[in-house]
Amino acid sequence: MSRAYNFCAGPAALPEPVLRQARDEMLDWRGTGMSVMEMSHRSDEFVEIAETAEKDLRELAGISDDYAVLFMQGGASGQFATVPLNLLGENTRVDYVNTGIWSKKAIAEAKRYATVNVAASSEDRGFTTVPDQSEWNTSADAAYLHYTPNETIGGLEYDFVPDSGRVPLVADMSSNILSRPVDVNRFGLIYAGAQKNIGPSGLVVVIIRKDLLGRARPETPTMMNYQVMADNASMYNTPATYSWYLAGLVFKWLKEQGGVDAMEALNYRKSKKLYDYIDASGFYANPIEPRFRSWMNVPFTLADDSLNGAFLKGADERGLLNLEGHRSVGGMRASIYNAMPEAGVDALIDYMAGFVKEHG
Amino acid sequence: MSRAYNFCAGPAALPEPVLRQARDEMLDWRGTGMSVMEMSHRSDEFVEIAETAEKDLRELAGISDDYAVLFMQGGASGQFATVPLNLLGENTRVDYVNTGIWSKKAIAEAKRYATVNVAASSEDRGFTTVPDQSEWNTSADAAYLHYTPNETIGGLEYDFVPDSGRVPLVADMSSNILSRPVDVNRFGLIYAGAQKNIGPSGLVVVIIRKDLLGRARPETPTMMNYQVMADNASMYNTPATYSWYLAGLVFKWLKEQGGVDAMEALNYRKSKKLYDYIDASGFYANPIEPRFRSWMNVPFTLADDSLNGAFLKGADERGLLNLEGHRSVGGMRASIYNAMPEAGVDALIDYMAGFVKEHG
């Protein structure tokens, strides 16, 4: 098969030029006689790769020197513990907003370390909306306020950045980082598992305001201590070097595409045409309140669930892969991250329309 | 440059056939139209890759069904905390043997969670030997006995497996796993960062006797809980999928080479000829008691330290890379893991001999 359109929620499709470059450099990075994955993390070559990746990310996301950028391991799920361990300090109370399955996972892990106040939840509305911030029951003395800007499974995305006052705002941006501009200065901490918009799995990027460093609780494993990681430029121990390199290639590619502004325009177009088609189809449906529909993850159901198997089989045959919805919600889901070209969305809509003609 | 001989201590050289296969499969794994790094970790394709890697590792290392094999993140340094958090149970006392810098790091992290009894140490002898086990001050009620079979920095390797009685034996095998046969049944737990003999960094393999699962302390981050990882086949969250795939390619390559027995013969030959040359040279020196010289990491000094720069420069020019010793000990170090062909050691010895003729 030639390259397919891969709608997987994560690990997800990477830009083809990135994969081509990685392929071409696999046995010999720029005449060094080594693959990047064979380089000492302390070598001049790798340090340059690592620093360039950070610099490009800072430029793309508009990250000031008030923030440290960390390249850690353990994914977002690791951060679910790392965040409270590092940010609680002497405090015991934290605020979380519950808008879906990933919010719930973050809350469950935080409860093991802190008293979690669920400041707002849309669970009673099936996670189809984001509670209006005027109704949030936040506390002025919380160690932080945590939310999930994009729920990968539900396909729900905030269209605003919450106002957390003087309480540090913490966001799990795993599935929408770099997909459109965000004012980083509004946040105390942003974390993102790499395997959607950044690179391969096994890497998690953390952006933390420097005044929040140095508060880790005594039981924090050293590998999870943000201060230690910041002091050592994320090389306290051997980092995930090859994933870091690939993230750097993705950042370069993003810059070549025009950066996050260009991604915003593209992602808006891609998601709008897919939602517009779904709404007009009379056959497919998406349950999310339109204002909060995710630009990254588009779940949809068929008018008749018994056709799901035929839909997926036909899609596979056309190279439209991994459209099955998450096992917890069923139906379909098209994840259309930065690396999904508009032609992939067009091909999906074509297929969906053809399927309706045949089965609708 | 064509492929160099890379003597880096880690991340280290990988077998060239592994890199070639990874290169060839980068954009399309076996007609799927996807790179392995773009696959869902829950897809049939990736689960097969993951299970095959585990099966091959079990076959190579002789791991019985009494043991779980985990593919985790965070490297050996992460395990320095993960081990006590999971194995202490109600106990507070653990035994460690100190034979070098990596032992010391493991001890420092364990002290944050437990009362560490350093049962034996060769620090007063400059870590040039392993204390005789008859002198070890171990405790029958320790939660476990931890040692470092191969000290990557010092170049010290145990030539025996300690007898820990009924206390579980724990080993950091990062730098010598799969380099020669080991009776896994002697161990409670083995861990190994991948970036020396297994694959790229960002992956750590844990082999744990199943009766040691389920003892994690309450504060253990879920991502570090061996029981959770075992229950979920290391896919509680998204694992480092691409590193896992590459590890699988390395295991296949090892099997094609004749497995761990063949590696033992090769590694013995490679290290013996290098040590024999060093001892006979009258110019180079290795300080380790011969019985405990590492087959994997061969540190050596020149008769005149002021020649170090010239030695390294000449080596680089000949494609003999990363021979500089660790910053904490100086001198030179040749790491000659499984993937280093015998021809690489021959080329190094040729260069060393030529250097003596010119400068000795």
Side-chain angles (χ1 to χ4, degrees), chain A residues 29 34 53 105-106 122 161 176 243 255 274 293 328 342 350:
Chain A
W29 187 79
M34 290 181 287
K105 288 189 186 228
S122 59
V161 173
N176 70 346
S243 302
K255 286 174 68 177
L274 185 49
R293 283 172 165 179
S328 65
E342 193 163 356
D350 274 357

Side-chain angles (χ1 to χ4, degrees), chain B residues 50-314:
Chain B
E51 289 179 350
T52 303
E54 178 180 334
K55 186 172 146 288
D56 286 340
L57 174 59
R58 284 183 179 275
E59 186 181 325
L60 283 164
I63 304 167
S64 80
D65 287 343
D66 294 339
Y67 290 79
V69 174
L70 311 177
F71 291 80
M72 296 176 71
Q73 299 181 51
S77 294
Q79 294 300 311
F80 293 166
T82 311
V83 165
L85 281 167
N86 278 271
L87 298 193
L88 272 174
E90 297 299 305
N91 207 335
T92 58
R93 187 182 168 91
V94 292
D95 286 345
Y96 277 70
V97 182
N98 179 18
T99 51
I101 290 171
W102 287 106
S103 296
K104 284 166 73 95
K105 288 189 186 228
I107 289 166
E109 187 76 354
K111 277 185 177 167
R112 304 179 58 234
Y113 302 100
T115 304
V116 175
N117 168 49
V118 177
S121 173
S122 59
E123 187 160 15
D124 58 347
R125 283 166 283 177
F127 295 130
T128 57
T129 187
V130 173
D132 194 87
Q133 213 193 331
S134 64
E135 300 161 16
W136 293 15
N137 173 36
T138 50
S139 16
D141 63 344
Y144 58 85
L145 168 62
H146 180 285
Y147 82 117
T148 312
N150 185 72
E151 289 280 358
T152 319
I153 293 172
L156 180 82
E157 189 168 12
Y158 284 64
D159 67 348
F160 64 95
V161 173
D163 178 3
S164 64
R166 301 175 69 165
V167 171
L169 184 63
V170 176
D172 174 2
M173 285 199 192
S174 296
S175 51
N176 70 347
I177 193 167
L178 300 172
S179 66
R180 49 172 135 176
V182 167
D183 181 2
V184 170
N185 295 315
R186 301 278 302 275
F187 294 84
L189 188 151
I190 293 167
Y191 61 93
Q195 67 270 19
K196 295 148 196 309
N197 262 338
I198 292 179
S201 61
L203 179 74
V204 55
V205 171
V206 175
I207 303 163
I208 180 170
R209 215 173 60 214
K210 287 178 180 168
D211 66 292
L212 297 174
L213 295 169
R215 301 183 186 187
R217 283 163 60 126
E219 67 268 33
T220 308
T222 304
M223 280 285 299
M224 289 185 161
N225 186 313
Y226 292 139
Q227 176 79 63
V228 172
M229 284 294 134
D231 288 347
N232 291 278
S234 304
M235 297 197 197
Y236 167 74
N237 74 328
T238 314
T241 51
Y242 196 67
S243 303
W244 196 333
Y245 152 76
L246 286 162
L249 296 186
V250 170
F251 299 151
K252 283 274 184 244
W253 174 82
L254 275 173
K255 287 174 68 177
E256 288 162 14
Q257 305 306 302
V260 174
D261 288 330
M263 286 298 119
E264 178 181 42
L266 174 68
N267 289 325
Y268 174 75
R269 252 192 347 262
K270 278 155 48 184
S271 59
K272 184 173 189 320
K273 67 165 72 167
L274 185 49
Y275 285 117
D276 282 351
Y277 170 72
I278 287 169
D279 289 344
S281 70
F283 182 82
Y284 303 100
N286 169 282
I288 305 297
E289 185 179 344
R291 186 183 147 194
F292 299 117
R293 284 173 164 178
S294 169
W295 292 11
M296 297 284 101
N297 310 96
V298 182
F300 59 90
T301 51
L302 277 58
D304 178 354
D305 268 351
S306 73
L307 293 171
N308 286 354
F311 182 89
L312 289 168
K313 187 165 176 290

Side-chain angles (χ1 to χ4, degrees), chain A residues 1 3-4 6 11 14 23 27-28 31 33 38 73-74 77 109 112-113 195 201 218-222 238-239 241, chain B residues 1 3-4 6 11 14 23 27-28 31 33 38 73-74 109 112-113 195 201 218-223 237-239 241:
Chain A
M1 182 183 279
R3 293 274 298 166
N6 176 11
L14 287 165
R23 178 195 63 191
L27 277 91
D28 182 9
E38 301 176 300
Q73 299 181 49
S77 294
E109 188 76 354
R112 302 179 57 236
Y113 303 100
Q195 66 270 18
S201 60
E219 68 267 33
T220 308
T222 304
T238 314
T241 51
Chain B
M1 180 183 277
R3 291 276 298 166
N6 176 11
L14 287 165
R23 179 194 61 191
L27 277 93
D28 182 10
E38 299 175 302
Q73 299 181 51
E109 187 76 354
R112 304 179 58 234
Y113 302 100
Q195 67 270 19
S201 61
E219 67 268 33
T220 308
T222 304
M223 280 285 299
N237 74 328
T238 314
T241 51

Side-chain angles (χ1 to χ4, degrees), chain A residues 21 39 41-42 79 118 120 133 172 183 200 213 224 250 266:
Chain A
Q21 184 171 348
M39 289 179 185
H41 52 299
R42 306 205 185 278
Q79 294 299 312
V118 178
Q133 213 193 332
D172 173 3
D183 181 1
L213 295 169
M224 288 185 163
V250 171
L266 175 66

